[in-house]
Amino acid sequence: EQMFINFAVASAQLAQLKAMDKNYEEAIRRMEIALRLDPTLKAGTVLLGTYFMMAGQDQKAIDHYVEAIRHEPTEGEYWLRLARIYEFKDQLPFALQNLGEGIRLAPDARALYIDAFRVAARSGDAGKAKDFLRRWLERHPDDQEMRNIFDNADRLLEDEFGLSPDGAAKEAKAGSS
């Protein structure tokens, strides 16, 4: 059994090298071998969907993460990767929907809240963006880094996303010009 795990890790490492060379088809092939040898190789499951996306196989990437979530619904990283595919495809409502579901099932996966903040901001909803930070801080009040982001959220939303503290009010003004 250990021999298969060693081969799986070696194949996964080759996949990563191929991906670094932007040879995504070969990266996919190598990672699929790694996962056949060791289906529990979480890094392989995480990366394979990204390789599909980078190879332009968005639907395969989506299907891959949906299947991974079906097997392990509380793994926040799978929700995160699925949402990022939708974000990459500029399907922000789907990205937010998956981030929200990921937060519901993996409420301590910090990266989900950070991505949800960013996607909500990209969607033009400053209130929803700040709400994701607030929800994290309710669960993790001692997270000083997130507290600092929350405390500076209005400035961040304006500087990085062009949103006023009340994104809706800015949209109303823009619509009346």
Side-chain angles (χ1 to χ4, degrees), residues 14 18 35 68 76 80 87 99 108 110 131 137 147 165 168:
L14 279 171
K18 294 298 179 182
L35 288 169
L80 186 72
E87 182 183 9
L99 290 165
D108 293 317
R110 186 176 190 255
D131 187 56
L137 289 170
R147 171 74 54 203

Side-chain angles (χ1 to χ4, degrees), residues 62 83 85-97 119:
I62 290 167
I85 293 166
Y86 285 117
E87 182 183 9
F88 181 76
K89 292 168 58 86
D90 215 26
Q91 296 179 4
L92 302 183
F94 287 116
L96 268 178
Q97 178 183 348
V119 173

Side-chain angles (χ1 to χ4, degrees), residues 21-34:
D21 290 340
K22 297 185 181 359
N23 184 348
Y24 299 113
E25 295 297 333
E26 186 62 17
I28 290 166
R29 191 175 82 74
R30 295 291 181 169
M31 196 59 79
E32 287 176 332
I33 291 169

Side-chain angles (χ1 to χ4, degrees), residues 132-149:
F132 285 113
L133 298 177
R134 186 177 303 109
R135 288 170 57 192
W136 173 261
L137 289 170
E138 286 170 1
R139 292 186 65 83
H140 303 276
D142 296 332
D143 185 335
Q144 198 53 52
E145 183 183 15
M146 287 289 265
R147 171 74 54 203
N148 290 340
I149 292 169

Side-chain angles (χ1 to χ4, degrees), residues 45-46 62-73 75 78:
T45 303
V46 167
I62 290 167
D63 293 344
H64 171 74
Y65 288 124
V66 166
E67 183 65 15
I69 288 166
R70 191 174 70 74
H71 288 289
E72 203 172 350
E75 177 52 60
Y78 300 153

Side-chain angles (χ1 to χ4, degrees), residues 17 78 154:
L17 291 171
Y78 300 153
D154 289 339

